Amino acid sequence: MKRVEEYINEKIKSKGCIHMALVDPDKCTPEEARSISQNCQELGSSALMIGGSTCVGGGPLDETVKGLKSGSGLPVILFPGSLFGLSRYADAVWFMSVLNSTNTYYMTGAQAIGSRMVKEYGLEAIPLGYIIISPGGTAGFISQAMAVPYDKPEVASIYALAAQYMGMRFVYLERGSGSDSPVSPKMVQSVKQTASNVKLIVGGGIRTKEQAKELAKAGADIIVTGNIIEEKGINELRDIIGGIEEGVNERSV
Ligand code: 1GP
């Protein structure tokens, strides 16, 4: 196991549940990235993610990654929506497969094409099963997913268990960036019970302290927020991270 994954696992072990901030490279200048990075470290985020379904990539992505790197010592993990989402300046990449896509390109095709670039760039690849939960947002549309219905935790759970059996070490329940609400705590609980060996990431539509708290309490290992920084500013993160801590404290062991 390599450096970033080990760091993530240690953080989860010590904190119970951690926060990662997602930056959309198309909406963020390198200077803004630097200041987000600084603030996230101060507020207690554990890592920075960068990516988006429609990411332009190239020079602008590289510069934003460099901005993030210059602002703090937090690891920067690529969250690529396509091959354009790769940058040699990041520390690691979520090497993700959309498990419920209807198109093999998003399960193994893009991954095969991108694999050599990941190697060439020296990026640490962290295997991730990406599961789109309805409505799924842009990520669900672009990846041609057959989204898991919101009220079917048992369906999300079997996809997560399949990911575990295929050797993936992380699973991401994605409600879609900017979604009205996050996935349900019931779904998180069910996935954790069924696929207990994978680390569970939850993202999409998390905007309040209470939501973060309930998801952490239900057993999420990593909570990702993106839009909230653009919508409300960095200070909202204080609440989200506080909510995560409260949720962990209220877990029934
Ligand atoms: C998107 O899950 C992430 O992939 C974050 O979603 O922007 O709604 O926080 P938000």
Side-chain angles (χ1 to χ4, degrees):
M1 202 185 294
K2 289 224 204 133
R3 205 172 55 82
V4 177
E5 186 171 348
E6 210 168 75
Y7 162 87
I8 294 171
N9 286 330
E10 275 165 15
K11 282 277 176 194
I12 294 171
K13 205 171 166 190
S14 67
K15 294 189 174 204
C17 176
I18 60 175
H19 175 263
M20 292 192 187
L22 172 65
V23 169
D24 183 338
D26 294 347
K27 292 183 191 162
C28 182
T29 65
E31 294 70 33
E32 285 165 346
R34 181 183 164 85
S35 126
I36 288 172
S37 173
Q38 241 163 6
N39 289 323
C40 281
Q41 185 162 44
E42 271 166 35
L43 294 174
S45 264
S46 295
L48 302 162
M49 289 167 47
I50 179 161
S53 304
T54 54
C55 174
V56 175
L61 172 65
D62 286 344
E63 292 310 309
T64 311
V65 171
K66 287 186 202 167
L68 289 175
K69 290 290 296 172
S70 70
S72 73
L74 294 176
V76 175
I77 309 171
L78 300 168
F79 185 52
S82 74
L83 295 167
F84 295 113
L86 295 174
S87 164
R88 65 169 76 244
Y89 300 101
D91 299 297
V93 55
W94 289 120
F95 202 82
M96 48 209 277
S97 171
V98 185
L99 299 180
N100 55 335
S101 175
T102 56
N103 184 335
T104 55
Y105 178 78
Y106 298 99
M107 295 174 182
T108 55
Q111 293 75 1
I113 299 165
S115 63
R116 284 178 62 199
M117 205 184 288
V118 167
K119 192 172 182 183
E120 166 78 22
Y121 287 176
L123 293 165
E124 176 181 336
I126 310 176
L128 169 68
Y130 196 48
I131 306 171
I132 306 285
I133 313 300
S134 180
T138 310
F141 178 81
I142 298 278
S143 65
Q144 299 172 31
M146 193 164 66
V148 174
Y150 173 82
D151 59 352
K152 296 289 176 199
E154 65 277 18
V155 178
S157 298
I158 55 174
Y159 272 97
L161 185 59
Q164 178 179 310
Y165 288 160
M166 287 190 282
M168 291 167 177
R169 299 188 286 274
F170 293 82
V171 156
Y172 195 127
L173 298 181
E174 175 64 83
R175 190 95 212 269
S177 183
S179 174
D180 285 347
S181 61
V183 298
S184 69
K186 205 172 160 187
M187 184 176 276
V188 169
Q189 217 166 15
S190 168
V191 167
K192 280 301 285 184
Q193 271 164 11
T194 310
S196 52
N197 288 347
V198 290
K199 297 286 186 312
L200 178 58
I201 311 173
V202 181
I206 301 167
R207 287 191 186 78
T208 68
K209 178 176 184 174
E210 197 56 31
Q211 288 168 336
K213 177 180 165 180
E214 290 309 315
L215 294 167
K217 189 175 168 183
D221 296 295
I222 301 174
I223 287 184
V224 177
T225 61
N227 263 309
I228 196 169
I229 301 178
E230 288 144 28
E231 281 173 8
K232 295 185 176 174
I234 198 82
N235 277 328
E236 296 294 315
L237 275 189
R238 205 183 300 275
D239 278 352
I240 298 282
I241 292 168
I244 293 174
E245 285 165 8
E246 282 179 25
V248 169
N249 289 335
E250 287 184 21
R251 274 180 190 168
S252 48
V253 191

